Amino acid sequence: MKTLVPYKGFEDLSFEMSYEDVRRTLRENKVKFITEHWPNKGCSPEVAWDIIRVGEDISFFFAKGKMFKIYVENRFSGRLENGISLGMTIAEAQSIDPSIQYDDWEEEYTSSLGYWLEDDVESREIISITVFIKELENDEVFFRYEWCD
């Protein structure tokens, strides 16, 4: 089963890889993808983000060509290294990782182990998982973008 690893990445795609490295790896493995460019106009600093989307299930986010976040949803069949996966309830996830807490500001669940979970309001099942670089845990550090220079 495919494994998401906080602060590291996903399978052969690590956070140390560049935008071009990920594109090349996907092409070599004959994985179809599309790309998006978010200019982030008006933000300070104004750093554009590039996204590589593999189907409707996985998205890789980049700033200045460096990957910082992997977001999975829909039919993604992998899991976190601790076993948490899409379709599991938040209660089940919290029994595996007691550090999972609801963040009112972000309206999602965060873990001190380096990932975020989003649930369906009615079913309470996990509908997305996000893993990321350590710097993303602190807005002041992340949005200075020193990590990608």
Side-chain angles (χ1 to χ4, degrees):
M1 180 162 288
K2 297 174 183 170
T3 305
L4 290 160
V5 182
Y7 312 127
K8 299 253 192 289
F10 170 69
E11 298 296 303
D12 295 334
L13 303 173
S14 75
F15 288 121
E16 296 173 4
M17 296 175 78
S18 71
Y19 179 75
E20 288 307 321
D21 290 340
V22 172
R23 287 171 49 100
R24 183 174 37 261
T25 300
L26 292 172
R27 273 195 221 106
E28 287 170 359
N29 289 291
K30 298 183 180 10
V31 175
K32 293 181 181 179
F33 62 90
I34 61 168
T35 59
E36 291 179 25
H37 181 77
W38 295 359
N40 291 333
K41 295 284 184 200
C43 294
S44 181
E46 199 169 280
V47 175
W49 292 0
D50 291 295
I51 299 97
I52 297 174
R53 296 195 190 277
V54 177
E56 296 178 357
D57 302 333
I58 188 164
S59 299
F60 301 95
F61 288 75
F62 300 81
K64 297 184 180 180
K66 300 239 180 159
M67 186 173 10
F68 66 88
K69 177 170 83 170
I70 301 171
Y71 175 84
V72 300
E73 61 184 329
N74 298 320
R75 295 174 307 277
F76 178 78
S77 61
R79 64 177 178 232
L80 289 163
E81 59 187 349
N82 62 9
I84 293 173
S85 63
L86 299 181
M88 184 178 277
T89 65
I90 287 294
E92 291 170 316
Q94 288 172 317
S95 71
I96 294 169
D97 177 1
S99 80
I100 296 171
Q101 299 292 321
Y102 187 72
D103 181 330
D104 288 324
W105 181 255
E106 298 293 336
E107 296 183 342
E108 64 189 2
Y109 290 85
T110 63
S111 167
S112 65
L113 301 178
Y115 58 89
W116 301 325
L117 306 171
E118 182 183 10
D119 72 330
D120 178 272
V121 178
E122 291 178 15
S123 70
R124 307 278 298 162
E125 290 180 349
I126 297 168
I127 59 172
S128 76
I129 300 172
T130 305
V131 295
F132 43 82
I133 61 173
K134 188 92 171 137
E135 291 83 354
L136 195 53
E137 292 179 322
N138 181 325
D139 283 351
E140 287 183 33
V141 171
F142 179 77
F143 289 109
R144 281 194 302 245
Y145 291 102
E146 292 171 359
W147 55 270
C148 57
D149 286 333

